[in-house]
Amino acid sequence: MKLALNFLPCESFKKKLVAYFTLKFIIKGFMISILLSLFIFLDLLNLKYIANLGLLSAIIGLYILLKSDRKIWFWSGFFIGLFWFYWISFSLIYYNFGYLIPIEILGICLIYGFIFLAVSWLESIYIKAIFLLFASYVAPFGFDWLNFELIFVDTLFKPTIYTLALVLISIIISIKFSRYLGLGAMVLSLIISYKFTDNFESLPFNISLITTELNQNQIWDRNTKNDIIKSNLNIIDQAILGGSRAVVLPESAFPLFLDRSQILLSELKQKSHQIAIITGALGASDNKLHNSTYIFDKGEVKRLDKLILVPFGEEIPLPNFIKNPISNIFFDSAVDYSKANGVSDYEIDGVKIRNAICYEATKDELFKDNPKFMIAISNNAWFSPSTQPNLQSKILKLKAFKHKTTIYHSINGSPSQMITP
Protein backbone atom coordinates (compact mmCIF):
# COMPACT_ATOMS: atom_id res chain seq x y z
CA MET A 1 0.00 0.00 0.00
CA LYS A 2 2.86 2.38 0.84
CA LEU A 3 4.50 1.65 -2.49
CA ALA A 4 1.26 2.36 -4.31
CA LEU A 5 0.79 5.70 -2.52
CA ASN A 6 4.35 6.77 -3.27
CA PHE A 7 3.91 5.83 -6.88
CA LEU A 8 0.74 7.89 -7.43
CA PRO A 9 2.44 11.32 -7.59
CA CYS A 10 4.86 9.95 -10.20
CA GLU A 11 1.93 8.65 -12.24
CA SER A 12 0.20 12.02 -11.95
CA PHE A 13 3.32 13.86 -13.09
CA LYS A 14 3.78 11.41 -15.96
CA LYS A 15 0.21 11.99 -17.15
CA LYS A 16 0.70 15.76 -17.03
CA LEU A 17 3.96 15.48 -18.96
CA VAL A 18 2.46 13.17 -21.58
CA ALA A 19 -0.42 15.64 -22.04
CA TYR A 20 2.07 18.14 -23.51
CA PHE A 21 2.89 15.69 -26.28
CA THR A 22 -0.65 15.51 -27.59
CA LEU A 23 -0.50 15.84 -31.38
CA LYS A 24 -3.23 18.51 -31.37
CA PHE A 25 -1.16 20.82 -29.15
CA ILE A 26 2.03 20.23 -31.12
CA ILE A 27 0.34 21.01 -34.44
CA LYS A 28 -1.35 24.14 -33.10
CA GLY A 29 1.92 25.41 -31.61
CA PHE A 30 3.65 24.65 -34.90
CA MET A 31 1.04 26.62 -36.88
CA ILE A 32 1.22 29.61 -34.51
CA SER A 33 5.00 29.69 -34.81
CA ILE A 34 4.75 29.63 -38.60
CA LEU A 35 2.36 32.58 -38.50
CA LEU A 36 4.77 34.47 -36.21
CA SER A 37 7.84 33.60 -38.28
CA LEU A 38 6.54 33.98 -41.83
CA PHE A 39 7.70 37.61 -42.09
CA ILE A 40 11.34 36.46 -41.82
CA PHE A 41 11.04 33.89 -44.61
CA LEU A 42 9.00 36.20 -46.87
CA ASP A 43 11.94 38.60 -46.70
CA LEU A 44 13.91 36.08 -48.78
CA LEU A 45 11.64 36.96 -51.73
CA ASN A 46 12.83 40.60 -51.59
CA LEU A 47 9.52 41.85 -52.97
CA LYS A 48 8.14 45.31 -52.24
CA TYR A 49 5.24 45.30 -49.74
CA ILE A 50 5.55 41.51 -49.17
CA ALA A 51 6.29 42.32 -45.52
CA ASN A 52 2.68 43.50 -45.12
CA LEU A 53 1.57 39.90 -45.71
CA GLY A 54 4.01 38.79 -43.01
CA LEU A 55 2.51 41.40 -40.66
CA LEU A 56 -1.03 40.11 -41.27
CA SER A 57 0.19 36.58 -40.60
CA ALA A 58 1.89 37.68 -37.36
CA ILE A 59 -1.21 39.51 -36.08
CA ILE A 60 -3.27 36.35 -36.63
CA GLY A 61 -0.56 34.36 -34.84
CA LEU A 62 -0.59 36.74 -31.85
CA TYR A 63 -4.38 36.48 -31.66
CA ILE A 64 -4.39 32.68 -31.62
CA LEU A 65 -1.47 32.54 -29.19
CA LEU A 66 -3.13 34.84 -26.66
CA LYS A 67 -6.23 32.63 -26.75
CA SER A 68 -4.23 29.44 -26.22
CA ASP A 69 -3.41 27.49 -23.06
CA ARG A 70 0.01 26.73 -21.61
CA LYS A 71 0.58 23.50 -23.54
CA ILE A 72 0.23 25.37 -26.82
CA TRP A 73 2.41 28.19 -25.48
CA PHE A 74 5.20 25.71 -24.83
CA TRP A 75 5.09 24.35 -28.37
CA SER A 76 4.74 27.82 -29.87
CA GLY A 77 7.90 28.94 -28.07
CA PHE A 78 9.61 25.69 -29.03
CA PHE A 79 8.99 26.16 -32.75
CA ILE A 80 9.61 29.93 -32.65
CA GLY A 81 13.07 29.05 -31.31
CA LEU A 82 13.43 26.75 -34.31
CA PHE A 83 12.22 29.10 -37.05
CA TRP A 84 13.89 32.25 -35.73
CA PHE A 85 17.21 30.85 -34.51
CA TYR A 86 17.99 27.45 -36.10
CA TRP A 87 20.94 29.05 -37.90
CA ILE A 88 22.89 29.69 -34.66
CA SER A 89 23.96 26.05 -34.70
CA PHE A 90 25.55 26.31 -38.15
CA SER A 91 28.75 27.76 -36.68
CA LEU A 92 29.47 24.31 -35.19
CA ILE A 93 30.48 23.18 -38.70
CA TYR A 94 33.61 25.34 -38.50
CA TYR A 95 34.66 23.80 -35.18
CA ASN A 96 34.27 20.28 -36.64
CA PHE A 97 31.18 19.61 -34.53
CA GLY A 98 28.62 19.66 -37.32
CA TYR A 99 27.09 16.42 -36.03
CA LEU A 100 25.95 18.32 -32.92
CA ILE A 101 23.78 20.73 -34.93
CA PRO A 102 20.50 18.84 -34.19
CA ILE A 103 21.33 18.81 -30.46
CA GLU A 104 22.03 22.55 -30.39
CA ILE A 105 18.84 23.30 -32.32
CA LEU A 106 16.90 21.16 -29.83
CA GLY A 107 18.51 23.08 -26.97
CA ILE A 108 17.52 26.43 -28.52
CA CYS A 109 13.95 25.20 -29.03
CA LEU A 110 13.70 24.00 -25.43
CA ILE A 111 15.01 27.29 -24.03
CA TYR A 112 12.31 29.29 -25.80
CA GLY A 113 9.71 26.60 -25.16
CA PHE A 114 10.28 26.82 -21.41
CA ILE A 115 10.37 30.64 -21.48
CA PHE A 116 6.94 30.67 -23.12
CA LEU A 117 5.72 27.95 -20.74
CA ALA A 118 6.84 29.94 -17.69
CA VAL A 119 4.90 32.99 -18.88
CA SER A 120 1.78 30.94 -19.67
CA TRP A 121 1.69 29.40 -16.16
CA LEU A 122 0.50 32.77 -14.87
CA GLU A 123 -2.68 32.24 -16.90
CA SER A 124 -3.33 35.96 -17.42
CA ILE A 125 -3.85 37.28 -20.92
CA TYR A 126 -2.54 40.65 -19.77
CA ILE A 127 0.74 39.23 -18.49
CA LYS A 128 1.09 37.17 -21.66
CA ALA A 129 0.60 40.31 -23.74
CA ILE A 130 3.17 42.20 -21.65
CA PHE A 131 5.66 39.40 -22.26
CA LEU A 132 5.08 39.59 -26.03
CA LEU A 133 5.51 43.36 -25.85
CA PHE A 134 8.84 43.16 -23.99
CA ALA A 135 10.08 39.78 -25.29
CA SER A 136 13.45 41.23 -26.30
CA TYR A 137 14.19 41.94 -22.63
CA VAL A 138 13.98 38.21 -21.90
CA ALA A 139 17.40 37.54 -23.38
CA PRO A 140 19.11 34.17 -22.78
CA PHE A 141 22.86 34.89 -22.33
CA GLY A 142 22.20 38.47 -23.49
CA PHE A 143 20.87 37.33 -26.88
CA ASP A 144 17.88 39.62 -27.48
CA TRP A 145 16.88 39.02 -31.10
CA LEU A 146 13.37 37.77 -30.22
CA ASN A 147 11.54 41.05 -30.75
CA PHE A 148 7.98 41.20 -32.05
CA GLU A 149 8.39 44.85 -33.04
CA LEU A 150 10.19 43.38 -36.06
CA ILE A 151 6.89 42.32 -37.62
CA PHE A 152 6.32 45.98 -38.57
CA VAL A 153 9.71 46.49 -40.25
CA ASP A 154 9.41 47.10 -44.03
CA THR A 155 5.63 47.50 -43.71
CA LEU A 156 3.43 50.59 -44.02
CA PHE A 157 3.48 51.01 -40.24
CA LYS A 158 5.94 52.35 -37.68
CA PRO A 159 8.13 49.61 -36.17
CA THR A 160 7.82 50.74 -32.57
CA ILE A 161 6.86 49.24 -29.24
CA TYR A 162 3.85 51.58 -29.24
CA THR A 163 2.53 50.09 -32.48
CA LEU A 164 2.94 46.59 -31.04
CA ALA A 165 1.20 47.67 -27.82
CA LEU A 166 -1.79 49.04 -29.75
CA VAL A 167 -2.07 45.79 -31.74
CA LEU A 168 -1.92 43.67 -28.58
CA ILE A 169 -4.54 45.84 -26.86
CA SER A 170 -6.80 45.44 -29.90
CA ILE A 171 -6.38 41.66 -29.75
CA ILE A 172 -7.22 41.63 -26.03
CA ILE A 173 -10.37 43.70 -26.69
CA SER A 174 -11.35 41.20 -29.38
CA ILE A 175 -10.84 38.20 -27.10
CA LYS A 176 -12.21 39.59 -23.84
CA PHE A 177 -15.01 41.88 -24.98
CA SER A 178 -16.12 42.03 -28.62
CA ARG A 179 -14.59 40.72 -31.83
CA TYR A 180 -16.03 43.64 -33.81
CA LEU A 181 -14.87 46.21 -31.27
CA GLY A 182 -11.42 44.60 -31.35
CA LEU A 183 -11.33 44.70 -35.15
CA GLY A 184 -12.26 48.38 -35.10
CA ALA A 185 -9.54 49.06 -32.53
CA MET A 186 -7.06 47.19 -34.71
CA VAL A 187 -7.91 49.27 -37.79
CA LEU A 188 -7.67 52.47 -35.74
CA SER A 189 -4.34 51.34 -34.26
CA LEU A 190 -2.83 50.73 -37.69
CA ILE A 191 -4.12 54.06 -39.00
CA ILE A 192 -2.52 55.84 -36.04
CA SER A 193 0.72 53.92 -36.67
CA TYR A 194 0.90 54.65 -40.39
CA LYS A 195 4.47 55.49 -41.35
CA PHE A 196 4.92 58.61 -43.42
CA THR A 197 8.09 59.07 -45.44
CA ASP A 198 10.73 60.94 -43.46
CA ASN A 199 13.77 62.77 -44.72
CA PHE A 200 17.11 61.26 -43.74
CA GLU A 201 20.72 62.30 -43.87
CA SER A 202 23.39 60.44 -45.80
CA LEU A 203 27.14 60.84 -45.63
CA PRO A 204 28.27 63.93 -47.57
CA PHE A 205 30.74 61.93 -49.66
CA ASN A 206 30.79 58.85 -51.88
CA ILE A 207 31.29 55.57 -50.05
CA SER A 208 31.88 52.08 -51.50
CA LEU A 209 30.19 49.34 -49.46
CA ILE A 210 31.92 46.08 -50.31
CA THR A 211 30.19 42.69 -50.34
CA THR A 212 32.40 39.61 -50.31
CA GLU A 213 31.41 35.96 -50.63
CA LEU A 214 34.16 34.10 -48.81
CA ASN A 215 33.29 30.77 -47.23
CA GLN A 216 34.12 30.68 -43.53
CA ASN A 217 36.60 27.86 -44.14
CA GLN A 218 38.47 30.06 -46.62
CA ILE A 219 38.83 33.05 -44.32
CA TRP A 220 41.13 31.39 -41.79
CA ASP A 221 42.86 28.98 -44.18
CA ARG A 222 46.55 29.89 -44.31
CA ASN A 223 46.69 28.77 -47.93
CA THR A 224 44.17 31.42 -48.99
CA LYS A 225 45.39 34.32 -46.81
CA ASN A 226 47.60 35.89 -49.46
CA ASP A 227 44.88 35.60 -52.11
CA ILE A 228 42.40 37.31 -49.78
CA ILE A 229 44.84 40.15 -49.07
CA LYS A 230 45.53 40.60 -52.80
CA SER A 231 41.79 40.65 -53.54
CA ASN A 232 41.17 43.27 -50.84
CA LEU A 233 43.91 45.49 -52.20
CA ASN A 234 42.41 45.21 -55.69
CA ILE A 235 38.98 46.15 -54.27
CA ILE A 236 40.52 49.24 -52.67
CA ASP A 237 42.21 50.18 -55.95
CA GLN A 238 38.91 49.85 -57.81
CA ALA A 239 37.21 52.10 -55.25
CA ILE A 240 39.97 54.68 -55.78
CA LEU A 241 39.44 54.54 -59.55
CA GLY A 242 35.70 54.95 -58.96
CA GLY A 243 36.29 58.21 -57.13
CA SER A 244 34.97 57.13 -53.72
CA ARG A 245 36.02 59.07 -50.65
CA ALA A 246 35.83 55.93 -48.49
CA VAL A 247 35.68 52.17 -48.95
CA VAL A 248 34.28 49.76 -46.34
CA LEU A 249 35.32 46.10 -46.23
CA PRO A 250 33.55 43.51 -44.02
CA GLU A 251 34.40 42.12 -40.60
CA SER A 252 37.59 40.00 -40.66
CA ALA A 253 38.26 41.11 -44.25
CA PHE A 254 41.96 40.81 -43.43
CA PRO A 255 42.23 37.45 -41.59
CA LEU A 256 45.24 38.36 -39.44
CA PHE A 257 46.49 40.61 -36.67
CA LEU A 258 46.71 43.70 -38.81
CA ASP A 259 48.56 45.77 -36.21
CA ARG A 260 51.37 43.20 -36.31
CA SER A 261 51.61 43.12 -40.11
CA GLN A 262 53.87 46.10 -40.70
CA ILE A 263 54.31 45.70 -44.46
CA LEU A 264 50.56 45.50 -45.06
CA LEU A 265 49.93 48.37 -42.63
CA SER A 266 52.36 50.54 -44.57
CA GLU A 267 50.70 49.70 -47.88
CA LEU A 268 47.23 50.51 -46.54
CA LYS A 269 48.48 53.78 -45.04
CA GLN A 270 49.90 54.71 -48.42
CA LYS A 271 46.62 53.96 -50.20
CA SER A 272 44.73 55.96 -47.57
CA HIS A 273 46.17 59.17 -49.03
CA GLN A 274 43.80 58.50 -51.94
CA ILE A 275 40.84 56.97 -50.10
CA ALA A 276 39.71 56.33 -46.52
CA ILE A 277 39.74 52.60 -45.77
CA ILE A 278 37.51 51.01 -43.12
CA THR A 279 38.12 47.29 -42.67
CA GLY A 280 37.81 44.46 -40.20
CA ALA A 281 40.76 42.46 -38.82
CA LEU A 282 42.10 41.08 -35.56
CA GLY A 283 43.84 43.25 -33.01
CA ALA A 284 46.18 42.47 -30.11
CA SER A 285 47.36 44.47 -27.12
CA ASP A 286 48.59 43.57 -23.63
CA ASN A 287 48.11 39.85 -24.32
CA LYS A 288 44.46 40.49 -25.20
CA LEU A 289 42.72 39.60 -28.45
CA HIS A 290 40.23 41.91 -30.11
CA ASN A 291 37.80 41.84 -32.99
CA SER A 292 38.58 45.23 -34.48
CA THR A 293 37.83 47.85 -37.06
CA TYR A 294 40.79 49.64 -38.62
CA ILE A 295 40.37 53.11 -40.11
CA PHE A 296 43.04 54.33 -42.50
CA ASP A 297 42.84 57.95 -43.64
CA LYS A 298 45.42 60.42 -44.93
CA GLY A 299 48.31 58.18 -43.96
CA GLU A 300 47.13 57.56 -40.40
CA VAL A 301 45.58 54.44 -38.85
CA LYS A 302 43.18 54.03 -35.94
CA ARG A 303 42.00 50.76 -34.36
CA LEU A 304 38.61 50.52 -32.68
CA ASP A 305 37.71 47.33 -30.82
CA LYS A 306 34.39 45.57 -30.48
CA LEU A 307 32.40 46.41 -27.35
CA ILE A 308 29.67 43.72 -27.23
CA LEU A 309 30.81 40.18 -27.91
CA VAL A 310 28.81 37.31 -29.40
CA PRO A 311 27.79 34.83 -26.67
CA PHE A 312 29.49 31.46 -27.27
CA GLY A 313 31.14 32.88 -30.39
CA GLU A 314 33.54 35.45 -28.98
CA GLU A 315 33.01 34.89 -25.28
CA ILE A 316 31.48 32.21 -23.09
CA PRO A 317 29.11 34.03 -20.68
CA LEU A 318 29.32 31.41 -17.93
CA PRO A 319 31.25 30.94 -14.65
CA ASN A 320 34.80 29.66 -15.10
CA PHE A 321 34.08 26.19 -13.73
CA ILE A 322 31.61 25.70 -16.61
CA LYS A 323 33.32 27.92 -19.16
CA ASN A 324 36.71 26.23 -19.05
CA PRO A 325 35.49 22.71 -19.96
CA ILE A 326 33.35 24.15 -22.78
CA SER A 327 36.33 26.12 -24.07
CA ASN A 328 38.55 23.03 -23.94
CA ILE A 329 36.05 20.80 -25.75
CA PHE A 330 34.60 23.12 -28.38
CA PHE A 331 37.08 25.96 -28.85
CA ASP A 332 40.43 24.21 -28.47
CA SER A 333 41.11 26.14 -25.22
CA ALA A 334 40.96 29.48 -27.05
CA VAL A 335 40.66 32.52 -24.79
CA ASP A 336 37.71 34.90 -25.03
CA TYR A 337 38.04 38.07 -27.02
CA SER A 338 38.42 41.21 -24.93
CA LYS A 339 35.94 44.09 -24.99
CA ALA A 340 36.46 47.75 -25.68
CA ASN A 341 35.83 50.15 -22.81
CA GLY A 342 32.91 51.89 -24.49
CA VAL A 343 31.30 52.87 -27.77
CA SER A 344 33.74 54.29 -30.30
CA ASP A 345 33.46 56.96 -32.99
CA TYR A 346 35.76 58.27 -35.66
CA GLU A 347 35.66 61.12 -38.13
CA ILE A 348 36.06 61.40 -41.89
CA ASP A 349 36.13 64.97 -43.24
CA GLY A 350 34.75 66.19 -39.91
CA VAL A 351 31.74 63.84 -39.97
CA LYS A 352 31.37 61.73 -36.83
CA ILE A 353 30.66 58.03 -37.47
CA ARG A 354 29.78 55.34 -34.92
CA ASN A 355 31.78 52.13 -35.25
CA ALA A 356 29.98 48.77 -35.00
CA ILE A 357 31.03 45.19 -35.66
CA CYS A 358 28.34 42.63 -36.57
CA TYR A 359 26.29 41.49 -33.54
CA GLU A 360 26.85 44.65 -31.53
CA ALA A 361 25.24 46.74 -34.29
CA THR A 362 21.91 45.19 -33.24
CA LYS A 363 22.25 46.34 -29.62
CA ASP A 364 20.79 49.57 -28.22
CA GLU A 365 24.02 50.26 -26.33
CA LEU A 366 25.76 50.98 -29.63
CA PHE A 367 23.23 53.71 -30.39
CA LYS A 368 24.09 55.78 -27.33
CA ASP A 369 23.38 59.48 -28.00
CA ASN A 370 21.56 58.56 -31.25
CA PRO A 371 24.44 58.87 -33.74
CA LYS A 372 23.54 60.27 -37.17
CA PHE A 373 25.76 57.76 -38.96
CA MET A 374 26.98 54.26 -38.25
CA ILE A 375 29.30 52.10 -40.32
CA ALA A 376 28.83 48.44 -39.44
CA ILE A 377 30.85 45.50 -40.69
CA SER A 378 29.75 41.86 -40.50
CA ASN A 379 30.79 38.36 -41.42
CA ASN A 380 27.62 36.31 -41.99
CA ALA A 381 29.48 33.38 -43.55
CA TRP A 382 29.27 31.63 -40.17
CA PHE A 383 25.55 31.06 -40.84
CA SER A 384 25.33 30.87 -44.60
CA PRO A 385 23.00 29.90 -46.18
CA SER A 386 20.21 30.79 -43.75
CA THR A 387 17.72 33.51 -42.81
CA GLN A 388 20.18 35.03 -40.35
CA PRO A 389 21.04 37.98 -42.67
CA ASN A 390 17.33 38.72 -43.14
CA LEU A 391 16.67 38.78 -39.41
CA GLN A 392 19.82 40.84 -38.79
CA SER A 393 18.76 43.34 -41.47
CA LYS A 394 15.31 43.75 -39.91
CA ILE A 395 16.83 44.39 -36.49
CA LEU A 396 19.17 47.03 -37.95
CA LYS A 397 16.22 48.68 -39.70
CA LEU A 398 14.36 48.74 -36.38
CA LYS A 399 17.35 50.35 -34.62
CA ALA A 400 17.85 52.83 -37.48
CA PHE A 401 14.22 53.94 -37.22
CA LYS A 402 14.27 54.10 -33.44
CA HIS A 403 17.49 56.12 -33.18
CA LYS A 404 17.24 58.06 -36.48
CA THR A 405 20.59 56.64 -37.57
CA THR A 406 21.69 55.96 -41.14
CA ILE A 407 23.60 52.67 -41.17
CA TYR A 408 26.13 51.65 -43.82
CA HIS A 409 26.60 47.89 -43.54
CA SER A 410 29.40 46.00 -45.32
CA ILE A 411 29.01 42.22 -45.17
CA ASN A 412 30.74 38.98 -46.08
CA GLY A 413 28.26 36.25 -46.92
CA SER A 414 25.19 38.35 -47.78
CA PRO A 415 24.45 41.62 -49.64
CA SER A 416 25.76 44.84 -48.13
CA GLN A 417 23.23 47.62 -47.66
CA MET A 418 22.58 51.20 -46.67
CA ILE A 419 19.79 51.35 -44.07
CA THR A 420 17.90 54.59 -43.58
CA PRO A 421 15.70 55.62 -40.61
Side-chain angles (χ1 to χ4, degrees), residues 378-398:
S378 290
N379 174 25
N380 290 340
W382 286 102
F383 314 108
S384 182
S386 74
T387 52
Q388 180 268 343
N390 305 83
L391 184 56
Q392 179 193 46
S393 175
K394 286 190 176 291
I395 295 173
L396 291 180
K397 289 174 182 177
L398 177 67

Side-chain angles (χ1 to χ4, degrees), residues 25-41:
F25 298 138
I26 296 173
I27 291 174
K28 195 167 183 179
F30 181 79
M31 294 307 299
I32 290 171
S33 67
I34 287 179
L35 290 169
L36 290 172
S37 309
L38 187 62
F39 76 98
I40 301 171
F41 292 89

